[in-house]
Amino acid sequence: MAEATTAAPPGSTPSAASSTSVFTVEQRGIDAVPAEERQGGPTRLLGLWAGTNTTVFTVVYGALVVSFGPSFWYAVALIVAGNVLGFAITGLTSLQGPRTGTSTHSISRAAFGPRGGKLPALLSWVMLVGFEAGGMVLIVLAGLALVDQAGVATGTPVKLLVIAFAAGLQMLLPLAGYHLIMKVQKYFAWIFAAMFTVMAFLVVPKADFGTHGEAPSLVTVSLVLAMVTASGGLSWADMGSDYSRYLPADSAPRKVFACAALGGMVPNILLQILGAAVATATTNAADPISGLPEILPGWFSTPYLLLAIVSLLAVNTTDMYSSGLNLLAVGLPIKRWMVVFIDLSLCTVITLWAVFSADFYTLLSNFLSLIVLWLGPWAAVYLTDWALRRGRYDVPSLFPAETGRKGIYWHRGGVRPAGLLAVLLGLAAAVLWVDSSVFVGPLSRAAGGLDLSVFAGALVAGVTYWLLARRDVRAEAEAPLTA
């Protein structure tokens, strides 16, 4: 695989004294990381993705699989299949970071054009802010549950204090940036693994592995695979290179893929299987704060709630760092660390609304269930473009505003029509085949509830892009790189 140009474009912001200290605020935005600042090996991605995915959310998704009706062992098979598929995509979208030194949605400009790439970057930012807000709401609810256990009345003043405290905690890691996140998530992974192991020992004796549920229908298989794939690896796909961009350009692609994919896949499979086991013993496992703890002994309630809070903070940290990069890719002319405050302010407002209005939290959850539909088509176009150009990118052409040159990805006014058309057609296919509590597509309804949204969207987008753009992309890959 040919190596891309990795020098930072003119006008980019260098990190302070090229420092890699974990205790300094990262100054770098989406500009390409120069070779002298690259460090470490692909195994760093193992800790990052393991720490991010070892969370109570993952347990809940496993419980949701059983709620569709399959027996425990069928649920296990579907959990494994969905996570292997989803995190293979995360692994693939991590391969471009070491070659280019920049973020996923900056690289995405090659497929959509520097201006056309602003649309998927904006969609990603909106989606991530929604997920951050959803996570913060659960953090606050867990904090209020702890306060209630302490015998303190959770009136409005207490709720406001807990929200303020949660916002302050949430700010720390994303504000510091990449190096501290990579360091802390590695330790989080071990702490979370130990706590969930204890939880597994407490839950397994109460689980019903033999008689619960039945063999799933094709409709159930499609619904579960769509949920597991979209909520797992696919939901992290547009962040893959955000965390691999600091690796040396000559990092072995197979190791980068394996570490990114396995780092998220293994904890997701194990914790979702734990969630499925919990669901065989209680019908309230889908509620991670007031429902799931009812199967745990009283003495473990407080440690569990603390685990929920810290693990959700870890998830939001990864989301918030990447959402900042995505907003910069949209073209917002501010520093990355400033975007943290924008995200945090929005999340705090949404959390205030949700904590005092249960209906709003339901609305937020429904919104998130639909906005992820664009991810499959985007990932298909992004990876098809990467495969056609064999991983060879002209990095200065990704940053025309900074370099003052339009570059080879400019196309028609900064837009590659083939990329946007492919995503729109893929999104249309996904909508036609979706079966959710909010909306059922006409093709899904005609097929009795079959949900092929994730797969149809990706297939249509990928094939469309290949047909429309293959000649141009291959020609770009053969052109001399910009000095």
Side-chain angles (χ1 to χ4, degrees):
M1 187 178 294
E3 182 175 325
T5 302
T6 57
S12 62
T13 304
S15 60
S18 299
S19 172
T20 58
S21 170
V22 298
F23 298 107
T24 58
V25 174
E26 181 190 12
Q27 299 298 312
R28 185 169 298 285
I30 58 174
D31 47 295
V33 180
E36 63 269 18
E37 293 183 34
R38 309 289 194 90
Q39 61 176 307
T43 53
R44 302 182 74 191
L45 300 176
L46 277 171
L48 179 278
W49 291 116
T52 298
N53 285 277
T54 309
T55 169
V56 294
F57 255 142
T58 311
V59 177
V60 167
Y61 282 125
L64 289 174
V65 171
V66 172
S67 72
F68 283 94
S71 69
F72 175 79
W73 295 111
Y74 277 111
V76 169
L78 293 172
I79 285 169
V80 171
N83 278 295
V84 168
L85 178 61
F87 280 99
I89 300 173
T90 304
L92 289 173
T93 61
S94 299
L95 295 175
Q96 301 77 32
R99 297 293 176 181
T100 62
T102 189
S103 66
T104 308
H105 278 285
S106 297
I107 302 165
S108 185
R109 292 170 174 175
F112 298 99
R115 289 178 175 170
K118 293 181 179 183
L119 177 59
L122 179 62
L123 287 173
S124 180
W125 177 74
V126 172
M127 179 188 70
L128 290 178
V129 169
F131 281 127
E132 292 159 17
M136 188 172 290
V137 171
L138 290 180
I139 290 168
V140 170
L141 293 178
L144 291 173
L146 282 172
V147 171
D148 185 65
Q149 285 184 359
V152 178
T154 54
T156 298
V158 172
K159 289 180 179 178
L160 293 175
L161 283 173
V162 171
I163 291 171
F165 184 69
L169 279 179
Q170 186 61 80
M171 174 182 64
L172 298 177
L173 288 178
L175 185 63
Y178 174 86
H179 297 292
L180 186 58
I181 291 172
M182 297 296 285
K183 193 83 168 178
V184 172
Q185 290 284 32
K186 178 178 67 174
Y187 295 112
F188 276 169
W190 288 108
I191 295 170
F192 297 160
M195 290 292 289
F196 280 112
T197 299
V198 173
M199 183 175 166
F201 276 107
L202 297 173
V203 167
V204 168
K206 301 178 181 179
D208 178 5
F209 298 117
T211 60
H212 185 82
E214 55 188 17
S217 65
L218 181 60
V219 169
T220 298
V221 169
S222 72
L223 289 169
V224 171
L225 284 179
M227 183 195 74
V228 173
T229 302
S231 65
L234 183 58
S235 69
W236 298 114
D238 66 331
M239 308 180 205
S241 288
D242 295 355
Y243 292 98
S244 63
R245 65 188 181 132
Y246 274 91
L247 296 178
D250 60 354
S251 297
R254 290 184 180 180
K255 290 184 178 179
V256 172
F257 171 84
C259 290
L262 292 175
M265 183 195 307
V266 172
N268 260 267
I269 289 175
L270 294 178
L271 292 187
Q272 286 181 12
I273 290 174
L274 174 60
V278 172
T280 66
T282 176
T283 58
N284 206 14
D287 183 344
I289 304 303
S290 62
L292 193 151
E294 72 182 20
I295 196 175
L296 302 170
W299 63 266
F300 194 69
S301 178
T302 297
Y304 170 81
L305 290 172
L306 289 172
L307 171 65
I309 291 171
V310 179
S311 65
L312 290 168
L313 285 170
V315 175
N316 272 8
T317 291
T318 306
D319 284 343
M320 197 167 285
Y321 180 79
S322 284
S323 70
L325 297 179
N326 292 343
L327 199 54
L328 292 178
V330 173
L332 198 66
I334 62 174
K335 305 291 186 181
R336 181 204 63 82
W337 60 267
M338 295 178 183
V339 181
V340 173
F341 290 102
I342 295 175
D343 274 26
L344 196 60
S345 299
L346 289 171
C347 289
T348 302
V349 171
I350 294 172
T351 301
L352 281 166
W353 197 344
V355 167
F356 291 98
S357 171
D359 291 340
F360 181 79
Y361 187 64
T362 300
L363 179 64
L364 175 65
S365 300
N366 291 338
F367 165 73
L368 292 175
S369 72
L370 292 179
I371 197 174
V372 296
L373 290 177
W374 73 276
L375 268 176
W378 170 84
V381 170
Y382 179 83
L383 291 176
T384 301
D385 180 84
W386 163 76
L388 286 171
R389 67 179 69 255
R390 298 182 179 178
R392 191 172 187 262
Y393 295 89
D394 183 65
V395 175
S397 291
L398 298 173
F399 300 95
E402 291 83 351
T403 61
R405 292 176 291 182
K406 292 181 178 179
I408 62 174
Y409 305 135
W410 190 252
H411 302 290
R412 298 182 183 178
V415 176
R416 189 196 291 273
L420 292 180
L421 179 60
V423 166
L424 290 175
L425 290 177
L427 180 59
V431 170
L432 290 174
W433 278 107
V434 71
D435 181 4
S436 73
S437 60
V438 183
F439 175 79
V440 179
L443 294 182
S444 177
R445 186 182 297 109
L450 195 67
D451 189 332
L452 300 178
S453 56
V454 173
F455 314 105
L459 179 63
V460 169
V463 171
T464 300
Y465 187 76
W466 184 83
L467 290 172
L468 296 178
R470 65 188 188 280
R471 292 181 180 175
D472 288 345
V473 174
R474 286 169 176 164
E476 291 169 8
E478 294 173 359
L481 295 175
T482 304

